[in-house]
Amino acid sequence: MTTSHTPAPATGTRPKVRRRRESRVLKRLLHNKVAMASIVVLLLLVVIAATGSILAPYDPNAVSLSLRLTGPSGAHWLGTDELGRDVLSRLIVATRVDLLASAQAVGLALLIGVPLGIVAGYVGGVTDALLSRIIDALMTLPPLILAVVVVAILGPGLHNAMLAIAILIVPSFYRIVRASTEGARSELYIESARASGCSSWRILWRHILPAVLPALLVQASFSASVVIVAEASLSFLGLGARAPQATWGLMLSDASASITTSSYLIYPPTIMVAITILAFSLLGDGLRDALGRQSTDGR
């Protein structure tokens, strides 16, 4: 008598499939000229942030009232502000502060939103309903008002402002991770891993998290641009960074006081904010295009 044996789907084949997908996604991303240009711009900003203390021609906080509100010149390429501080030096230092602040807010939102989304999507039931209702309630609150309330409670300052912004973007990460986890938990390789005796923790770490990672990368890129705008807005309102710390939002706030007599002060921080937002947004579009096509073609 011949017995038929149908082997269980091997979980070891899953990493191979994942590597092939990653290779295709990377190839599509490399062929996207706009996305690659965005990466170059962001890498340049990172280099400026990392070497800011070397690149800055002057002390960004050095006050010289005799040079206040002097226009662009050979000595001060972007001019000086109302306290005689070199605008270029402050712009360079502000790049580091803004990028670190953006990373702080996005990282904190990931630490909160991802675990909650995975638990809600994987466990389901009452846990999913309870967490989803909390997130829905958070989303109904006006974003700017919520940020102002959080900063008012904790006190003004860049770190507190980033905490407020992180709370605002947690729902976006939660909803994406929850939806991706809910779709992945019924996949055959998850059932195979569960049947082979893998613990829930191992399944979440080795299988669910890599499945939701592509969507997280796209959302993180878009969220970084949102954080840049939010930081500039809060600092402009006096709820973010405090003087003499240099951020693009604080530079915009300082420039607005002299906009009628020294309008050149408004352009450098505005351009930096616009370039950074555009780079993060276009990178997010490129990642979304590269990842989204994997289910519609075989290349």
Side-chain angles (χ1 to χ4, degrees), residues 157-178:
L158 186 60
H159 293 298
N160 292 339
M162 291 304 101
L163 175 59
I165 296 171
I167 294 174
L168 294 178
I169 60 178
V170 161
S172 61
F173 288 113
Y174 169 84
R175 297 182 70 181
I176 287 176
V177 172
R178 175 188 171 277

Side-chain angles (χ1 to χ4, degrees), residues 20-269:
R20 287 197 295 269
R21 286 176 50 190
E22 292 172 352
S23 177
R24 291 196 297 267
V25 169
L26 181 60
K27 184 181 298 184
R28 296 180 194 126
L29 186 62
L30 291 174
H31 282 83
N32 189 326
K33 295 181 180 179
V34 175
M36 294 309 299
S38 301
I39 292 175
V40 171
V41 171
L42 292 174
L43 288 177
L44 180 60
L45 291 175
V46 170
V47 171
I48 293 174
T51 61
S53 58
I54 300 174
L55 293 177
Y58 299 95
D59 181 350
N61 297 323
V63 175
S64 178
L65 295 179
S66 61
L67 297 175
R68 65 186 301 271
L69 298 178
T70 59
S73 63
H76 301 278
W77 291 2
L78 297 180
T80 59
D81 63 10
E82 73 282 357
L83 296 178
R85 297 172 297 190
D86 183 64
V87 174
L88 177 59
S89 299
R90 291 182 63 77
L91 194 71
I92 291 173
V93 172
T95 301
R96 178 176 61 217
V97 176
D98 276 82
L99 291 184
L100 288 176
S102 178
Q104 176 186 346
V106 173
L108 184 58
L110 285 169
L111 287 177
I112 298 174
V114 172
L116 293 179
I118 288 180
V119 169
Y122 188 75
V123 176
V126 177
T127 302
D128 180 21
L130 178 61
L131 290 175
S132 296
R133 295 296 82 75
I134 294 175
I135 295 297
D136 290 342
L138 185 61
M139 293 181 65
T140 61
L141 300 176
L144 184 58
I145 300 300
L146 178 60
V148 170
V149 170
V150 172
V151 173
I153 294 173
L154 301 177
L158 186 60
H159 293 298
N160 292 339
M162 291 304 101
L163 175 59
I165 296 171
I167 294 174
L168 294 178
I169 60 178
V170 161
S172 61
F173 288 113
Y174 169 84
R175 297 182 70 181
I176 287 176
V177 172
R178 175 188 171 277
S180 299
T181 302
E182 197 171 29
R185 71 178 181 183
S186 59
E187 293 287 341
L188 186 60
Y189 69 94
I190 298 295
E191 296 293 338
S192 176
R194 191 180 294 115
S196 65
C198 290
S199 64
S200 296
W201 170 253
R202 182 177 177 84
I203 292 174
L204 292 176
W205 179 255
R206 295 293 300 274
H207 301 290
I208 297 294
L209 187 58
V212 304
L213 187 58
L216 277 179
L217 291 176
V218 176
Q219 185 59 39
S221 181
F222 287 122
S223 296
S225 65
V226 172
V227 172
I228 295 294
V229 176
E231 185 281 323
S233 301
L234 291 177
S235 294
F236 186 85
L237 295 173
L239 300 174
R242 311 295 291 174
Q245 189 176 37
T247 69
W248 296 332
L250 200 55
M251 291 179 69
L252 285 170
S253 179
D254 294 339
S256 64
S258 308
I259 193 170
T260 56
T261 58
S262 305
S263 60
Y264 64 88
L265 292 174
I266 204 76
Y267 298 118

